[in-house]
Amino acid sequence: DAGITQSPRHKVTETGTPVTLRCHQTENHRYMYWYRQDPGHGLRLIHYSYGVKDTDKGEVSDGYSVSRSKTEDFLLTLESATSSQTSVYFCAIRGAGGEQYFGPGTRLTVT
Amino acid sequence: RKEVEQDPGPFNVPEGATVAFNCTYSNSASQSFFWYRQDCRKEPKLLMSVYSSGNEDGRFTAQLNRASQYISLLIRDSKLSDSATYLCVVNEGNRKLIWGLGTSLAVNP
């Protein structure tokens, strides 16, 4: 157990509304990641962080922003949710050998 | 060519069978390799790292062939609980992992 929690676990929202997902870790890991997973596409990296206030884009960053003001929290924001952002969102931390450990995921539905 | 390629399956095998999955990767400079397991509607979980000399963990054996740029996972004496999607993952050394789309395994009674 890598001590990663995500909130909320499920959310239904309307198109055009802002949404923030939270990832919280308790083990002081430097690297944190946000992925989305969709059928046929596998895991796709949205953004990642390599320290407090240090973030970088992944392969599908359009429409998403992130913030990391504390080591333990990494927030993912959809400024104006669209139906194409309906997905399962996973947060992960990086282990000592380069492997990653995941939180339980957030199921987001944009109607 | 995709960076990490896996046969999506599904592989349907009876309990007790031996099953093998292969995965190919495109970047010859890749540094480390992993197999993950993902159950339906759950997060991916690390199954095992893959070392150059090959490694075994109980019924699971992972092997790496750098010359041919592929890794493999062998599952012996399959159990019903092994039914899942198996993800091949490559670390190219740039803080990010490259994920295969996964191979689906169904172990049948």
Side-chain angles (χ1 to χ4, degrees):
Chain A
D1 184 2
I4 306 165
T5 57
Q6 293 185 232
S7 59
R9 295 292 313 281
H10 302 269
K11 185 168 183 68
V12 180
T13 192
E14 293 185 349
T15 297
T17 60
V19 177
T20 295
L21 309 183
R22 180 183 183 235
C23 178
H24 180 77
Q25 55 124 340
T26 59
E27 298 182 358
N28 207 36
H29 292 282
R30 178 182 174 192
Y31 290 89
M32 298 183 75
Y33 303 80
W34 276 108
Y35 291 91
R36 61 178 290 175
Q37 188 174 37
D38 306 284
H41 290 280
L43 280 164
R44 291 184 290 176
L45 182 64
I46 305 171
H47 282 279
Y48 70 100
S49 170
Y50 47 96
V52 173
K53 293 186 173 25
D54 292 323
T55 65
D56 204 351
K57 295 179 180 180
E59 61 182 298
V60 290
S61 58
D62 288 348
Y64 302 94
S65 62
V66 290
S67 66
R68 191 165 179 204
S69 58
K70 299 185 290 184
T71 299
E72 58 266 36
D73 289 324
F74 191 30
L75 304 181
L76 177 71
T77 297
L78 292 65
E79 300 291 347
S80 178
T82 67
S83 58
S84 64
Q85 294 176 311
T86 291
S87 187
V88 180
Y89 291 86
F90 289 107
C91 172
I93 58 90
R94 184 184 184 212
E99 73 281 10
Q100 292 179 7
Y101 300 94
F102 287 80
T106 295
R107 291 192 174 274
L108 176 67
T109 302
V110 183
T111 61
Chain B
R1 182 184 173 187
K2 293 180 182 175
E3 294 173 279
V4 176
E5 292 201 60
Q6 299 181 248
D7 181 344
F11 285 65
N12 285 284
V13 303
E15 274 187 288
T18 296
V19 62
F21 307 135
N22 288 329
C23 163
T24 58
Y25 61 94
S26 60
N27 186 346
S28 60
S30 296
Q31 298 185 358
S32 54
F33 309 87
F34 310 97
W35 282 103
Y36 278 72
R37 170 200 170 119
Q38 186 172 24
D39 294 289
C40 188
R41 302 175 73 85
K42 298 285 190 178
E43 73 273 23
K45 293 187 177 179
L46 180 66
L47 180 64
M48 56 198 305
S49 301
V50 186
Y51 302 121
S52 297
S53 56
N55 47 301
E56 189 173 304
D57 182 2
R59 297 182 293 108
F60 298 84
T61 300
Q63 292 194 313
L64 167 64
N65 185 319
R66 283 193 181 271
S68 300
Q69 294 180 212
Y70 79 81
I71 67 174
S72 64
L73 177 68
L74 183 77
I75 305 175
R76 292 181 299 278
D77 189 23
S78 298
K79 311 291 184 191
L80 295 176
S81 57
D82 293 334
S83 297
T85 296
Y86 290 84
L87 303 169
C88 172
V89 187
V90 174
N91 180 0
E92 297 185 340
N94 59 355
R95 309 171 177 173
K96 297 180 283 187
L97 297 180
I98 310 300
W99 296 80
L101 294 183
T103 297
S104 176
L105 172 65
V107 180
N108 306 304

